[in-house]
């Protein structure tokens, strides 16, 4: 703070004359004036003007506290003389809106004017001096991050802060969250130049005018029938099926079933632990009783996993089933009408990826009686029909039409094709031939060229039963053929020699035949009183085979014996199909109209070890073992194929029970 007229009272020890000497040489020694400075309260500080006009400010202790001006004027520039200090007794303060000047220049001007014009009365007069600050120069301006609660945007800011707090709380529980404190500086914008090819803009689709209602419907239909959309829908459908049937498919593939963990609170976890403890106590109390009375349901059993069925197959009988040789998850099923063979049939390809709808559907003009996949070309499916037609379909194509058809062949069958099979010419060789047996009494081999055609391997003749020779009658063989042909019902090729096969006939006989040589019929096995529905070589004991018939019986045969070794009969019903177990030479499965039966010859030759009744909707018609699972497939007359899991079915080894021949010999059959 400055004193009157920029002067400071003399220091201690100096008189009034000394103070006057500081004011100027022309003033009288006894001339004096008092000074006051208002800056909140009266100040005790003084100001001295040097010999060169510079103003110096001293505090009460005599220290130089002169402030340095922020503005340094150009010494060569002319300084206008302005009165920056008000000496009027009526004006108590300076107008803050007036431009402020440098204090050193103003005080110097006052000093020079005071030397020239001040009188004695003016020197004695009290003068008030007010100091004011210069304009503020902003060197750095950072916007405030604080908003007043009374501001208009206060509500919006509070809402944003609340959302940010919730987001921060939610991130703390995440395993990817890591708390760090950083300060991000907004870098200065930079320009970066680079070279590139000229960017050209072209209009690929011209402006489309407004479409009519018919055009919109046509466009929607095009989208719905597009191949890309259908493929996407198939993928989505398979994903849903995998989610629905995941536990069943895991059991089928013999892999652990994934169980989703149940997330519970601490209170629920404590309650669950208490419940488990109570259940354990109850089990311990019931354990002695269980030991005294063992469970009645112990032993082999079947558990149904799922069924292959849909609206298209409902009401049709399952006539034949076959696995794909390359893809063990692909199953071909033939369907025909249960009552009439003349109605239309279906050949469907089912996949484990979707048990609720077939992957391929081939509609046939007549009932399908037989199906089989090729080994050399797994995409080819051979289909036999009730009108004698043989067709080959390509399962890779979604077309319903057959790839090849026997309709134009002059040698086509005139009776139902009851069974067909792709047979390897030599073991280990992928060269194969398509063999068929038909109700017209012919066994044919088909060859695939530009068209489908065949030639007869043999014709099955009806055989005359043994009679007493009449007088004068020539001696003839008991198996001399007559002119009428016998309808062929089934066949099975030897597992080690593909030239030898068994052929079952409608008259109840089984012929052992050869594809090469003059003697086509090597022997005839008589034992059934009705049509032979199936014959099956034993895959392990290759000299044994089974046969089933409409006479309610199952017969076990040896190749060298023309009379049956064993006869199995449990119920009075047609036996439609039989299959040897793939892992045992002593176990086979049979299906009749009422139930499915499991026979284990190492356990009993008089009754099955296990049986399961058919479903109420229809009668069982066919059977097939799964290739890569401990499962059994059962087809029925209602159009469904059930997949059943085998539980606790003992598979005896050869070391435990010996060969099948030893079992039969011990029973006194040989």
């Amino acid at each position: 703070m400055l004193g009157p007229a920029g002067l400071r009272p003399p220091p201690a020890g100096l008189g009034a004359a000394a103070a006057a000497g500081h004011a100027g040489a022309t003033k009288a020694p006894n001339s004096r004036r008092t000074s006051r400075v208002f800056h909140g309260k009266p100040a005790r500080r003084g100001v001295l003007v040097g010999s060169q006009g510079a103003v110096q400010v001293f505090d009460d202790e005599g220290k130089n506290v002169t402030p340095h001006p922020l503005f340094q004027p150009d010494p060569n520039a002319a300084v206008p003389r302005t009165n920056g200090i008000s000496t009027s007794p009526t004006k108590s303060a300076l107008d803050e809106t007036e431009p402020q000047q440098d204090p050193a220049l103003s005080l110097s001007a006052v000093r020079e004017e005071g030397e020239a014009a001040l009188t004695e009365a003016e020197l004695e007069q009290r003068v008030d001096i007010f100091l004011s600050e210069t304009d503020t120069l902003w060197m750095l301006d950072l916007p405030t991050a604080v908003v007043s609660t009374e501001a208009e945007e206060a509500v919006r800011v509070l809402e944003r802060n609340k959302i940010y707090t919730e987001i921060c709380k939610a991130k703390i529980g995440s395993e990817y969250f890591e708390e760090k404190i950083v300060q991000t500086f907004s870098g200065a914008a930079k320009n970066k130049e680079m070279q590139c090819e000229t960017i050209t803009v072209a209009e690929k689709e011209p402006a489309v005018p407004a479409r009519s209602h018919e055009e919109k419907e046509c466009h929607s239909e095009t989208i719905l029938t597009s191949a890309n959309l259908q493929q996407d829908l198939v993928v989505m459908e398979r994903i849903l099926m995998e989610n629905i049937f995941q536990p069943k498919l895991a059991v089928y593939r013999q892999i652990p079933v994934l169980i989703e963990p149940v997330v519970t609170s601490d209170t629920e976890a404590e309650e669950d632990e208490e419940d488990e403890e109570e259940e354990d106590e109850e089990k311990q109390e019931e354990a002695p009783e269980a030991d005294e009375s063992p469970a009645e349901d112990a032993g082999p059993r079947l558990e149904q996993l799922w069924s292959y069925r849909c609206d298209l197959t409902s009401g049709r009988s399952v006539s034949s089933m076959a696995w794909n040789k390359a893809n063990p998850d692909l199953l071909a099923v033939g369907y025909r009408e249960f009552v009439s063979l003349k109605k239309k049939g279906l050949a469907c390809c089912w996949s484990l990826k979707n048990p609720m709808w077939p992957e391929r559907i081939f509609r046939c003009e007549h009932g399908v009686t037989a199906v089989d996949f090729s080994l050399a070309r797994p995409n080819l499916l051979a289909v036999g029909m009730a009108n004698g037609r043989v067709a080959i379909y390509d399962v890779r194509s979604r077309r319903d039409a057959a790839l090849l058809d026997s309709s134009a062949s002059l040698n086509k069958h005139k009776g139902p094709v009851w069974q067909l099979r792709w047979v390897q010419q030599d073991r280990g060789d992928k060269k194969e031939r398509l063999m068929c047996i038909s109700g017209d009494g012919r066994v044919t081999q088909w060859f695939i060229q530009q068209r489908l055609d065949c030639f007869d391997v043999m014709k099955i003749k009806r055989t005359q039963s043994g009679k007493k020779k009449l007088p004068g009658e020539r001696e003839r063989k008991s198996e001399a053929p007559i002119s009428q042909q016998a309808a062929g019902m089934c066949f099975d090729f030897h597992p080690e020699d593909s030239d030898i096969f068994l052929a079952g006939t409608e008259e109840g006989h089984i012929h052992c035949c050869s594809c090469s040589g003059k003697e086509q019929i090597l022997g005839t096995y008589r034992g059934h009183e009705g049509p032979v529905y199936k014959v099956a070589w034993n895959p392990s004991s290759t000299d044994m085979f089974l046969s089933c018939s409409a006479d309610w019986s199952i017969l076990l045969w040896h190749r060298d014996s023309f009379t049956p070794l064993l006869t199995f009969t449990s119920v009075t019903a047609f036996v439609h199909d039989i299959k040897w177990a793939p892992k045992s030479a002593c176990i086979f499965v049979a299906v009749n109209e009422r139930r499915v039966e499991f026979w284990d010859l190492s356990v009993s030759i008089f009754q099955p070890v296990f049986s399961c009744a058919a479903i109420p909707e229809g009668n069982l018609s066919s059977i097939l073992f799964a290739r890569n699972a401990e499962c059994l497939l059962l087809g029925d007359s209602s159009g469904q194929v059930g997949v059943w899991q085998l539980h606790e079915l003992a598979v005896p080894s050869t070391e435990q029970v010996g060969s099948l021949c030893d079992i039969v010999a011990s029973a006194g059959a040989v």
Side-chain angles (χ1 to χ4, degrees):
M1 297 182 185
L2 301 178
L7 302 180
R8 177 181 182 276
L14 293 178
H22 283 283
T26 59
K27 299 299 175 281
N30 58 354
S31 63
R32 29 183 284 200
R33 60 176 178 174
T34 60
S35 62
R36 269 189 318 150
V37 176
F38 291 93
H39 193 70
K41 63 181 180 178
R44 300 181 185 177
R45 299 177 184 178
V47 178
L48 292 179
V49 180
S51 58
Q52 297 181 357
V55 179
Q56 295 180 341
V57 181
F58 297 86
D59 59 4
D60 294 341
E61 298 178 359
K63 296 181 180 179
N64 188 351
V65 293
T66 305
H68 298 281
L70 296 177
F71 174 73
Q72 298 293 339
D74 188 1
N76 299 325
V79 180
R81 298 177 67 91
T82 57
N83 230 349
I85 301 177
S86 174
T87 57
S88 172
T90 59
K91 191 173 182 180
S92 61
L94 295 174
D95 189 358
E96 294 182 357
T97 61
E98 294 180 359
Q100 303 299 315
Q101 299 177 355
D102 183 72
L105 297 178
S106 300
L107 292 175
S108 178
V110 171
R111 182 179 59 82
E112 293 177 359
E113 185 179 355
E115 292 177 355
L118 289 179
T119 62
E120 185 68 24
E122 291 175 349
L123 293 175
E124 296 295 335
Q125 186 179 0
R126 185 184 295 263
V127 178
D128 296 335
I129 300 175
F130 296 91
L131 300 179
S132 62
E133 296 180 356
T134 59
D135 292 339
T136 303
L137 299 177
W138 295 94
M139 307 300 293
L140 177 64
D141 184 15
L142 294 176
T144 179
V146 180
V147 178
S148 174
T149 55
E150 299 178 357
E152 296 180 356
E153 64 271 21
V155 177
R156 181 174 56 84
V157 173
L158 290 174
E159 185 65 23
R160 289 182 59 188
N161 292 344
K162 182 179 178 181
I163 295 173
Y164 180 76
T165 304
E166 293 176 355
I167 293 174
C168 292
K169 290 181 179 180
K171 286 184 177 180
I172 292 177
S174 174
E175 60 180 350
Y176 301 107
F177 175 75
E178 183 178 358
E179 186 175 0
K180 289 184 178 180
I181 299 176
V182 297
Q183 184 176 2
T184 304
F185 293 95
S186 299
K190 298 180 180 180
N191 295 329
K192 185 177 181 180
E193 297 180 356
M194 59 185 299
Q195 285 185 331
C196 66
E197 296 182 358
T198 304
I199 300 176
T200 58
V201 180
E203 210 176 284
K204 294 297 182 182
E205 294 183 6
V208 180
R211 296 177 179 175
S212 62
H213 181 69
E214 296 179 356
E215 291 178 346
K216 289 182 179 179
E217 289 184 353
C218 182
H219 182 66
S220 301
E221 185 177 355
T222 303
I223 294 176
L224 293 176
T225 57
S226 64
N228 292 336
L229 179 61
Q230 291 181 2
Q231 183 64 27
D232 294 341
L233 292 176
V234 168
V235 174
M236 293 176 61
E237 184 182 50
R238 288 183 175 178
I239 293 173
L240 291 176
M241 292 300 104
E242 288 285 343
N243 293 337
I244 295 173
F245 292 95
Q246 191 273 333
K248 303 295 184 181
L249 292 173
V251 173
Y252 180 87
R253 298 185 185 279
Q254 301 177 2
I255 59 177
V257 180
L258 297 178
I259 301 176
E260 296 184 1
V262 180
V263 181
T264 58
S265 61
D266 297 339
T267 306
E268 294 177 352
E270 293 176 359
E271 294 177 356
D272 294 341
E273 291 178 358
E274 294 176 358
D275 296 339
E276 291 178 358
E277 292 177 358
E278 294 177 359
E279 291 178 359
D280 294 339
E281 293 177 358
E282 294 177 357
K283 290 180 179 178
Q284 292 177 359
E285 294 176 358
E286 296 175 356
E289 299 178 0
D291 295 336
E292 294 176 3
S293 58
E296 297 180 356
D297 57 348
R301 60 188 177 89
L302 287 177
E303 177 189 358
Q304 187 172 11
L305 301 180
W306 69 83
S307 295
Y308 293 111
R309 59 180 176 180
C310 63
D311 296 339
L312 289 176
T313 63
S314 179
R316 303 174 187 267
S317 178
V318 177
S319 59
S320 179
M321 298 183 292
W323 289 108
N324 187 281
K325 271 70 171 182
N327 184 2
D329 294 343
L330 188 62
L331 175 70
V333 182
Y335 301 90
R336 61 182 177 87
E337 291 291 338
F338 184 70
V339 179
S340 174
L341 295 176
K342 295 182 180 180
K343 293 186 178 181
K344 294 184 178 181
L346 291 174
C348 298
C349 294
W350 295 89
S351 173
L352 290 181
K353 298 177 181 178
N354 187 2
M356 300 181 67
W357 191 261
E359 295 290 322
R360 297 290 185 271
I361 301 173
F362 304 109
R363 293 172 173 83
C364 305
E365 292 297 327
H366 293 80
V368 175
T369 53
V371 292
D372 193 30
F373 276 107
S374 170
L375 175 63
R377 288 168 285 185
N379 60 300
L380 297 184
L381 175 66
V383 177
M385 304 180 196
N387 65 337
R389 177 188 172 196
V390 177
I392 296 179
Y393 293 89
D394 187 356
V395 297
R396 296 177 303 183
S397 173
R398 294 185 178 273
R399 295 177 56 193
D400 197 7
L403 184 66
L404 294 172
D405 195 342
S406 66
S407 300
S409 174
L410 299 177
N411 297 327
K412 62 183 179 181
H413 288 289
K414 297 176 177 61
V417 179
W418 290 115
Q419 193 170 357
L420 56 77
R421 180 176 297 178
W422 297 89
V423 182
Q424 291 178 268
Q425 293 184 0
D426 296 317
R427 262 193 109 177
D429 189 2
K430 285 194 174 183
K431 291 182 180 180
E432 56 188 358
R433 50 193 173 171
L434 179 60
M435 306 294 294
C436 297
I437 188 169
S438 172
D440 59 4
R442 299 160 56 201
V443 178
T444 57
Q445 177 177 340
W446 295 80
F447 51 88
I448 301 174
Q449 293 178 350
Q450 294 181 352
R451 60 188 179 91
L452 192 62
D453 208 344
C454 69
F455 63 89
D456 293 341
V457 175
M458 66 170 293
K459 293 182 179 180
I460 305 174
K461 303 293 184 180
R462 290 191 179 273
T463 58
Q464 183 178 348
S465 59
K467 294 181 180 179
K468 291 184 180 180
K469 187 172 59 175
L470 299 175
E473 186 179 3
R474 293 183 179 180
E475 185 178 355
R476 58 182 179 179
K477 296 181 180 180
S478 61
E479 297 182 4
I482 59 178
S483 59
Q484 189 178 2
Q485 295 180 353
M489 301 296 295
C490 59
F491 62 10
D492 190 26
F493 283 80
H494 196 274
E496 295 180 351
D497 187 357
S498 60
D499 286 336
I500 304 298
F501 66 93
L502 299 170
T505 64
E506 188 180 19
E507 57 184 350
H509 298 161
I510 302 171
H511 301 290
C512 183
C513 309
S514 174
C515 295
S516 60
K518 296 180 181 180
E519 292 290 337
Q520 291 184 332
I521 298 179
L522 304 179
T524 301
Y525 305 90
R526 294 180 175 89
H528 287 293
E529 300 297 332
V532 179
Y533 287 148
K534 283 294 170 63
V535 289
W537 289 101
N538 190 303
S540 300
S541 298
T542 56
D543 290 334
M544 301 283 189
F545 64 91
L546 285 172
S547 62
C548 64
S549 172
D551 61 359
W552 313 337
S553 67
I554 303 171
L555 301 182
L556 177 65
W557 304 83
H558 192 277
R559 180 178 178 180
D560 298 332
S561 176
F562 295 104
T563 58
L565 303 179
L566 293 174
T567 301
F568 311 99
T569 303
S570 59
V571 294
T572 56
F574 293 168
V575 183
H576 292 288
D577 201 356
I578 50 174
K579 286 287 188 304
W580 288 100
K583 296 182 179 180
S584 174
C586 303
I587 298 177
F588 68 89
V589 183
V591 290
N592 52 52
E593 294 179 343
R594 299 183 183 179
R595 64 184 187 178
V596 55
E597 299 176 348
F598 289 82
W599 291 81
D600 189 350
L601 303 183
S602 64
V603 177
S604 174
I605 60 175
F606 301 105
Q607 61 183 1
V609 295
F610 171 68
S611 62
C612 181
I615 60 174
E617 291 82 0
N619 300 325
L620 296 176
S621 59
S622 58
I623 189 173
L624 184 66
F625 279 96
R627 292 184 58 190
N628 55 353
E630 296 292 335
C631 292
L632 190 69
L633 278 69
L634 298 176
D636 56 38
S637 59
S638 66
Q640 70 174 355
V641 177
V643 180
W644 299 77
Q645 174 75 19
L646 297 172
H647 291 283
E648 300 180 8
L649 181 63
V651 180
S653 62
T654 307
E655 298 177 356
Q656 294 175 342
V657 298
S659 63
L660 183 59
C661 295
D662 297 336
I663 296 174
V664 175
S666 63
V670 178

